């Protein structure tokens, strides 16, 4: 197939995927069913016309306000659709149309969804973490036996590490629930996607980022007595591990 046409199809599919992520971020915390259904408006639940369902285009055509009820459409939808398009293109050029492409696309999607929901609602719902774990195990199984076992070990290792860290935190500092259950499951999911080595690096980077952020807030006294969400740091750590994790592994193993 013509390279240009293939890239266009991938980009457009990516924007639909990004649109789906936007739908997940909106509907999962509200306990609304997450099916691949763009047929109604999320604000007023009226049916949408076909030209109001197009990723990117509808947002630009509508001028940021929904046609049915005039609610302002968050820019987040547009950005997620754009990000989806570029994620598809990037991973296609890195991995081709392989099972690994699917693994990475689903992984990045769950990271973005967990990140945005945790920032806004201070939770990482089981819908995100459990479906992520399942997707990671199934795709790893399709890739190879070795990858599948690595995925299981990663799940147990990363989840177990955060559970242990939380347990020690509670014992040492006497804080109740210093590590939320959602964080533990999110870490386990990251381990399942990345395997134990890169997963371990992701958790380590997340801890570094979280500690730096927490210390910074203490020094600047902007901490209003809130605990910090750890989910966004886990997501950032996982993305970093994906990009520079192999280099860090080389450094450690030399
Ligand atoms: Zn509406």
């Amino acid at each position: 197939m013509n390279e240009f046409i293939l890239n266009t199809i991938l980009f457009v599919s990516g924007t639909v995927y990004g649109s789906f992520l936007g739908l997940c971020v909106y509907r999962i915390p509200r306990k609304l069913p997450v099916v691949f259904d763009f047929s109604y408006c999320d604000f007023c639940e009226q049916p949408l016309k076909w030209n109001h369902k197009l990723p990117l285009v509808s947002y630009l055509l509508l001028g940021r306000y929904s046609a049915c009820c005039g609610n302002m459409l968050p820019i987040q939808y547009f950005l997620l659709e754009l990000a989806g398009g570029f994620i598809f293109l990037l991973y296609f050029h890195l991995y081709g149309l392989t099972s690994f492409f699917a693994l990475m696309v689903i992984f990045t999607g769950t990271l973005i969804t967990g990140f945005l929901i945790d920032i806004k609602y201070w939770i990482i719902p089981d819908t995100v973490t459990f479906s992520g774990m399942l997707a990671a195990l199934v795709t790893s199984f399709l890739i190879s036996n070795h990858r599948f076992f690595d995925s299981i070990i990663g799940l147990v290792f990363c989840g177990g590490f955060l559970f242990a860290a939380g347990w020690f935190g509670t014992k040492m500092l006497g804080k109740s629930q210093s590590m939320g259950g959602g964080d533990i499951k999110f870490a386990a999911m990251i381990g399942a996607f990345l395997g134990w080595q890169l997963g371990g690096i992701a958790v380590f980077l997340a801890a570094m980022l979280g500690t730096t952020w927490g210390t910074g807030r203490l020094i600047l006294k902007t901490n209003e007595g809130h605990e910090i969400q750890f989910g966004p740091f886990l997501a950032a750590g996982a993305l970093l591990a994906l990009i520079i994790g192999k280099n860090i592994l080389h450094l450690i193993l030399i």
Side-chain angles (χ1 to χ4, degrees), residues 41 43-44 66 68-69:
C41 169
F43 301 108
C44 67
S66 65
C68 39
C69 52

Side-chain angles (χ1 to χ4, degrees), residues 58-74:
S58 297
Y59 188 87
L60 296 173
L61 282 181
L62 288 168
R64 305 187 63 196
Y65 294 93
S66 65
C68 39
C69 52
N71 273 300
M72 193 161 95
L73 302 166

Side-chain angles (χ1 to χ4, degrees), residues 45 96 102 144 166 183 203 206 235:
E45 294 179 15
S144 69
D183 292 328
V203 171

Side-chain angles (χ1 to χ4, degrees), residues 103-104 107 129 132-141 147-159 185-196 199:
L103 183 80
M104 285 299 122
F107 179 47
T129 49
M133 281 182 223
L134 185 68
L137 291 175
V138 171
T139 350
S140 302
F141 180 74
R147 180 94 206 172
F148 180 61
F149 287 119
D150 195 22
S151 180
I152 293 179
I153 297 169
L155 189 153
V156 176
F157 177 71
C158 294
K185 283 173 256 178
F186 199 46
M189 183 202 85
I190 289 169
F193 273 108
L194 290 178
W196 74 272

